[in-house]
mmCIF file of all heavy atoms in Angstrom:
data_model
loop_
_atom_site.group_PDB
_atom_site.id
_atom_site.type_symbol
_atom_site.label_atom_id
_atom_site.label_comp_id
_atom_site.label_asym_id
_atom_site.label_seq_id
_atom_site.Cartn_x
_atom_site.Cartn_y
_atom_site.Cartn_z
ATOM 1 N N ALA A 439 -4.589 2.511 0.624
ATOM 2 C CA ALA A 439 -5.130 1.231 0.168
ATOM 3 C C ALA A 439 -5.205 0.233 1.321
ATOM 4 O O ALA A 439 -6.180 -0.506 1.455
ATOM 5 C CB ALA A 439 -4.270 0.671 -0.963
ATOM 6 N N VAL A 440 -4.193 0.221 2.188
ATOM 7 C CA VAL A 440 -4.181 -0.690 3.340
ATOM 8 C C VAL A 440 -5.354 -0.386 4.263
ATOM 9 O O VAL A 440 -6.073 -1.295 4.700
ATOM 10 C CB VAL A 440 -2.839 -0.594 4.100
ATOM 11 C CG1 VAL A 440 -2.910 -1.319 5.431
ATOM 12 C CG2 VAL A 440 -1.710 -1.153 3.262
ATOM 13 N N VAL A 441 -5.580 0.884 4.559
ATOM 14 C CA VAL A 441 -6.693 1.268 5.450
ATOM 15 C C VAL A 441 -8.026 0.868 4.840
ATOM 16 O O VAL A 441 -8.909 0.342 5.526
ATOM 17 C CB VAL A 441 -6.645 2.787 5.747
ATOM 18 C CG1 VAL A 441 -7.905 3.258 6.436
ATOM 19 C CG2 VAL A 441 -5.427 3.116 6.593
ATOM 20 N N SER A 442 -8.188 1.075 3.553
ATOM 21 C CA SER A 442 -9.444 0.724 2.877
ATOM 22 C C SER A 442 -9.700 -0.777 2.913
ATOM 23 O O SER A 442 -10.819 -1.222 3.170
ATOM 24 C CB SER A 442 -9.415 1.207 1.435
ATOM 25 O OG SER A 442 -9.202 2.592 1.388
ATOM 26 N N VAL A 443 -8.674 -1.565 2.651
ATOM 27 C CA VAL A 443 -8.833 -3.022 2.645
ATOM 28 C C VAL A 443 -9.079 -3.539 4.063
ATOM 29 O O VAL A 443 -9.896 -4.444 4.266
ATOM 30 C CB VAL A 443 -7.605 -3.689 1.995
ATOM 31 C CG1 VAL A 443 -7.617 -5.185 2.205
ATOM 32 C CG2 VAL A 443 -7.571 -3.366 0.519
ATOM 33 N N LEU A 444 -8.409 -2.969 5.050
ATOM 34 C CA LEU A 444 -8.655 -3.390 6.435
ATOM 35 C C LEU A 444 -10.088 -3.076 6.863
ATOM 36 O O LEU A 444 -10.721 -3.870 7.563
ATOM 37 C CB LEU A 444 -7.651 -2.732 7.384
ATOM 38 C CG LEU A 444 -6.215 -3.239 7.301
ATOM 39 C CD1 LEU A 444 -5.327 -2.449 8.247
ATOM 40 C CD2 LEU A 444 -6.135 -4.716 7.580
ATOM 41 N N ALA A 445 -10.602 -1.932 6.434
ATOM 42 C CA ALA A 445 -11.990 -1.589 6.754
ATOM 43 C C ALA A 445 -12.961 -2.551 6.074
ATOM 44 O O ALA A 445 -13.947 -2.999 6.693
ATOM 45 C CB ALA A 445 -12.286 -0.155 6.330
ATOM 46 N N ALA A 446 -12.709 -2.904 4.824
ATOM 47 C CA ALA A 446 -13.568 -3.865 4.119
ATOM 48 C C ALA A 446 -13.494 -5.238 4.779
ATOM 49 O O ALA A 446 -14.514 -5.923 4.914
ATOM 50 C CB ALA A 446 -13.167 -3.952 2.652
ATOM 51 N N THR A 447 -12.323 -5.652 5.211
ATOM 52 C CA THR A 447 -12.170 -6.937 5.894
ATOM 53 C C THR A 447 -12.920 -6.940 7.216
ATOM 54 O O THR A 447 -13.592 -7.926 7.561
ATOM 55 C CB THR A 447 -10.684 -7.245 6.126
ATOM 56 O OG1 THR A 447 -10.009 -7.246 4.866
ATOM 57 C CG2 THR A 447 -10.491 -8.579 6.805
ATOM 58 N N ALA A 448 -12.814 -5.853 7.967
ATOM 59 C CA ALA A 448 -13.530 -5.770 9.248
ATOM 60 C C ALA A 448 -15.032 -5.839 9.035
ATOM 61 O O ALA A 448 -15.742 -6.532 9.785
ATOM 62 C CB ALA A 448 -13.154 -4.477 9.971
ATOM 63 N N LEU A 449 -15.528 -5.160 8.020
ATOM 64 C CA LEU A 449 -16.959 -5.202 7.741
ATOM 65 C C LEU A 449 -17.394 -6.594 7.270
ATOM 66 O O LEU A 449 -18.456 -7.083 7.672
ATOM 67 C CB LEU A 449 -17.326 -4.148 6.693
ATOM 68 C CG LEU A 449 -18.805 -3.869 6.525
ATOM 69 C CD1 LEU A 449 -19.430 -3.426 7.840
ATOM 70 C CD2 LEU A 449 -19.007 -2.803 5.483
ATOM 71 N N ALA A 450 -16.573 -7.262 6.471
ATOM 72 C CA ALA A 450 -16.893 -8.616 6.027
ATOM 73 C C ALA A 450 -16.885 -9.593 7.207
ATOM 74 O O ALA A 450 -17.771 -10.453 7.306
ATOM 75 C CB ALA A 450 -15.902 -9.070 4.959
ATOM 76 N N LEU A 451 -15.909 -9.469 8.097
ATOM 77 C CA LEU A 451 -15.866 -10.345 9.276
ATOM 78 C C LEU A 451 -17.075 -10.112 10.182
ATOM 79 O O LEU A 451 -17.646 -11.061 10.723
ATOM 80 C CB LEU A 451 -14.572 -10.125 10.055
ATOM 81 C CG LEU A 451 -13.310 -10.719 9.451
ATOM 82 C CD1 LEU A 451 -12.078 -10.242 10.188
ATOM 83 C CD2 LEU A 451 -13.392 -12.232 9.465
ATOM 84 N N THR A 452 -17.465 -8.862 10.322
ATOM 85 C CA THR A 452 -18.640 -8.548 11.129
ATOM 86 C C THR A 452 -19.900 -9.128 10.490
ATOM 87 O O THR A 452 -20.756 -9.696 11.181
ATOM 88 C CB THR A 452 -18.789 -7.022 11.289
ATOM 89 O OG1 THR A 452 -17.583 -6.511 11.863
ATOM 90 C CG2 THR A 452 -19.955 -6.670 12.173
ATOM 91 N N THR A 453 -20.018 -9.002 9.180
ATOM 92 C CA THR A 453 -21.179 -9.561 8.482
ATOM 93 C C THR A 453 -21.237 -11.072 8.643
ATOM 94 O O THR A 453 -22.302 -11.627 8.933
ATOM 95 C CB THR A 453 -21.123 -9.191 6.987
ATOM 96 O OG1 THR A 453 -21.021 -7.772 6.864
ATOM 97 C CG2 THR A 453 -22.341 -9.688 6.257
ATOM 98 N N VAL A 454 -20.111 -11.737 8.485
ATOM 99 C CA VAL A 454 -20.080 -13.195 8.650
ATOM 100 C C VAL A 454 -20.435 -13.566 10.088
ATOM 101 O O VAL A 454 -21.182 -14.516 10.331
ATOM 102 C CB VAL A 454 -18.696 -13.761 8.263
ATOM 103 C CG1 VAL A 454 -18.534 -15.200 8.706
ATOM 104 C CG2 VAL A 454 -18.500 -13.654 6.777
ATOM 105 N N GLY A 455 -19.921 -12.816 11.040
ATOM 106 C CA GLY A 455 -20.228 -13.088 12.441
ATOM 107 C C GLY A 455 -21.697 -12.907 12.755
ATOM 108 O O GLY A 455 -22.286 -13.698 13.512
#
Side-chain angles (χ1 to χ4, degrees):
V440 169
V441 169
S442 302
V443 169
L444 289 177
T447 302
L449 193 58
L451 285 171
T452 303
T453 305
V454 167

